[in-house]
Amino acid sequence: MSAPDPRRLAWAYLSVVVQGASRILNAAVTEDGPEAVAAAVRDGSIGGALGRRTAARAHLDSAARDLELVERLGGRLVTPDDDEWPAWQLLAFDGLDGADVDAAPPALWVLGRRRIDELVERSVAVVGTRAASGYGENVTAEIAGDLATDGWTVLSGAAFGIDAAAHRAALGVGGVTMAVLACGVDRAYPAAHTGLLRQIAEHGAV
């Protein structure tokens, strides 16, 4: 593995230390760049709301190790610097006027060889309850299967119930599906979906 450049290390660090989307972080990066913001977070000079949000984890810099791990797993970190960053699909977040977390993610940790921008170019989310009825799962499978057959990428969260039914239906018709996880891509969650997540990464992305 070649040594990551400082800018990519900064993206990786910020992605982990902020733990989730942050409109405050995105604004700071737009104004000063990821390297400057990462340096200010590390040394505690960032101040304000972003300083308060990152203070507890600012010293935990695992960026180099995280990038090495995701590469070893066959994945990558996708940032706004990359050609495959789904910029226009994330523009909707700019219209939200809510909490700090109502924002586009700073970066995406990805497993799978397909380009993210191509996967989401024509995509639809199919999500629902974990405690789904048999009828609910069957209807979900019909909807997701038809969408995948028509060339849509089916997005869901890989959870039990509706999410799993949507992913499996898309895979079952030879379609494309992508799982968006609430945890890191280095762990299968739920663990019972280890095989399903592997299939999703092979044919789409996690």
Side-chain angles (χ1 to χ4, degrees):
M1 172 184 174
S2 58
D5 64 55
R7 190 173 174 92
R8 187 159 295 274
L9 283 168
W11 280 118
Y13 170 74
L14 292 171
S15 173
V16 172
V17 78
V18 173
Q19 289 197 337
S22 168
R23 62 171 63 232
I24 299 170
L25 171 64
N26 292 351
V29 168
T30 297
E31 183 171 347
D32 299 320
E35 292 175 79
V37 175
V41 169
R42 281 193 197 95
D43 66 20
S45 64
I46 191 71
L50 186 55
R52 290 190 294 275
R53 179 165 176 177
T54 57
R57 294 179 299 275
H59 65 289
L60 301 174
D61 189 350
S62 60
R65 185 171 69 249
D66 294 337
L67 288 169
E68 181 181 1
L69 173 60
V70 76
E71 183 172 323
R72 194 163 63 244
L73 292 173
R76 63 202 180 280
L77 177 66
V78 179
T79 80
D81 292 337
D82 297 316
D83 291 340
E84 65 173 302
W85 181 254
W88 74 263
Q89 287 89 351
L90 296 175
L91 285 176
F93 285 104
D94 293 344
L96 298 178
D97 186 20
D100 181 43
V101 295
D102 295 332
L108 294 167
W109 298 87
V110 180
L111 297 183
R113 294 183 298 275
R114 301 285 297 271
R115 286 175 58 108
I116 295 298
D117 58 339
E118 293 176 356
L119 287 172
V120 299
E121 180 71 23
R122 192 165 185 261
S123 61
V124 61
V126 181
V127 296
T129 182
R130 291 174 173 82
S133 65
Y135 172 76
E137 291 191 6
N138 286 337
V139 171
T140 298
E142 289 182 14
I143 293 170
D146 287 346
L147 287 166
T149 299
D150 289 341
W152 291 83
T153 298
V154 175
L155 311 181
S156 200
F160 291 119
I162 297 301
D163 290 18
H167 289 305
R168 290 192 174 106
L171 292 168
V173 297
V176 178
T177 184
M178 182 163 67
V180 182
L181 306 184
C183 60
V185 295
D186 58 323
R187 55 181 296 219
Y189 183 81
H193 286 171
T194 299
L196 175 60
L197 286 164
R198 187 180 302 115
Q199 283 185 283
I200 294 170
E202 289 174 357
H203 299 279
V206 173

